[in-house]
């Protein structure tokens, strides 16, 4: 599998995890679209038009990109695995984070955050912004902006259920933060390279 070869090559060259992550997620082609580039184009084009963002600001992460999940320890499964969309856009990041700041009165009112699996999403949402330069609209306070986001991605998922269980989107403030997040995959590989070599074979 190309992603595993890319990690191994990076390790042999003593490259940093960030450099290896940049290679895999910002340079390599998407594994699940390698024989269906048109599908990738139209999904990205739909997203770009919906949110009025540059086409080049849309990247793919997760097992769809690499062909396997480094956190579920299994290969991508058509119709059972998700497509994770990363939008790298500071204006969009600011729009969603500022909206949440306003709705919560500067995070002084956390009661407006939804409850997910028995817990408020407030901490998870705020950690994403402050620690990772990342907004997951699913965890933000309920509002029209969030509803439009979720409605769009639900509709997109329904149009491609043959290949993906769900299509999810998140927003990064910059490529730097996107690369930092994807470094986690490289760290996971290094913990147990034999396992991922076996999964990918």
């Amino acid at each position: 599998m190309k992603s595993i070869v890319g990690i191994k090559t990076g390790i042999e060259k003593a490259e940093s995890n960030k450099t290896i992550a940049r290679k895999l997620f910002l340079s390599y082609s998407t594994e699940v679209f390698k024989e269906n580039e048109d599908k990738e184009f139209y999904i990205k084009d739909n997203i770009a038009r919906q949110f009025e963002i540059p086409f080049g600001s849309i990247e793919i992460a997760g097992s769809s990109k690499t062909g396997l999940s480094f956190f579920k320890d299994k290969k991508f499964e058509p119709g059972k695995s998700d497509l994770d969309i990363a939008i790298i856009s500071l204006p969009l990041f600011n729009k969603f984070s500022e909206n949440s700041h306003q709705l919560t009165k500067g995070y002084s009112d956390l009661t407006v955050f939804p409850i997910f699996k028995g817990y408020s999403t407030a901490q998870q949402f705020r950690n994403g912004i402050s620690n990772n330069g990342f907004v997951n609209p699913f965890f933000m306070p309920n509002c029209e902006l969030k509803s439009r986001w979720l409605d769009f991605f639900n509709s997109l998922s329904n149009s491609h259920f043959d290949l993906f269980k769900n299509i999810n989107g998140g927003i990064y403030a910059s490529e730097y933060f996107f690369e930092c997040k994807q470094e986690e995959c490289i760290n996971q590989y290094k913990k147990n390279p034999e396992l991922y070599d076996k999964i990918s074979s």
Side-chain angles (χ1 to χ4, degrees):
M1 190 171 287
K2 183 170 59 177
S3 59
I4 297 299
V5 174
I7 294 175
K8 286 183 174 182
T9 301
I11 293 173
E12 289 170 1
K13 293 181 177 180
E15 294 174 341
S16 68
N17 288 353
K18 185 180 293 295
T19 298
I20 299 172
R22 180 182 300 143
K23 175 173 62 174
L24 262 61
F25 292 96
L26 292 177
S27 180
Y28 278 21
S29 58
T30 303
E31 187 71 25
V32 300
F33 292 127
K34 61 184 179 182
E35 295 180 1
N36 194 351
E37 290 85 356
D38 271 12
K39 182 181 281 288
E40 180 176 14
F41 169 78
Y42 288 115
I43 288 174
K44 287 183 174 180
D45 192 56
N46 198 346
I47 294 170
R49 292 175 185 274
Q50 174 69 22
F51 298 106
E52 299 179 336
I53 55 176
F55 184 90
S57 67
I58 304 167
E59 299 292 345
I60 294 174
S63 62
S64 297
K65 182 69 177 186
T66 60
L68 76 161
S69 171
F70 290 94
F71 298 96
K72 296 180 180 179
D73 299 337
K74 62 181 183 179
K75 286 185 178 181
F76 174 88
E77 297 181 76
K80 295 182 180 180
S81 297
D82 291 344
L83 173 63
D84 296 320
I85 298 292
I87 297 174
I88 303 173
S89 169
L90 183 58
L92 201 62
F93 175 88
N94 286 340
K95 180 178 182 179
F96 278 75
S97 57
E98 288 171 6
N99 184 265
S100 297
H101 189 272
Q102 183 178 40
L103 289 169
T104 60
K105 300 180 176 64
Y107 297 110
S108 64
D109 178 13
L110 302 183
T111 63
V112 296
F113 280 95
I115 302 298
F116 180 65
K117 294 184 178 179
Y119 297 94
S120 169
T121 62
Q123 194 61 45
Q124 191 165 359
F125 181 80
R126 294 179 70 183
N127 284 345
I129 290 178
S130 60
N131 297 338
N132 301 307
F134 172 71
V135 164
N136 183 343
F138 179 83
F139 295 122
M140 72 183 292
N142 294 322
C143 60
E144 184 180 352
L145 188 63
K146 173 183 177 177
S147 295
R148 290 202 305 267
W149 177 277
L150 295 181
D151 287 346
F152 169 77
F153 277 99
N154 284 335
S155 176
L156 194 62
S157 297
N158 291 336
S159 299
H160 300 281
F161 66 87
D162 58 318
L163 190 54
F164 307 108
K165 181 180 179 181
N166 291 298
I167 300 179
N168 308 302
I171 309 163
Y172 290 86
S174 67
E175 281 189 4
Y176 169 84
F177 285 113
F178 176 71
E179 290 171 6
C180 286
K181 180 63 176 175
Q182 306 318 312
E183 277 187 84
E184 296 176 6
C185 297
I186 315 305
N187 287 327
Q188 283 296 112
Y189 175 85
K190 288 183 174 180
K191 289 177 182 178
N192 195 347
E194 293 81 9
L195 171 64
Y196 297 108
D197 291 347
K198 182 178 179 180
I199 294 172
S200 66
S201 60

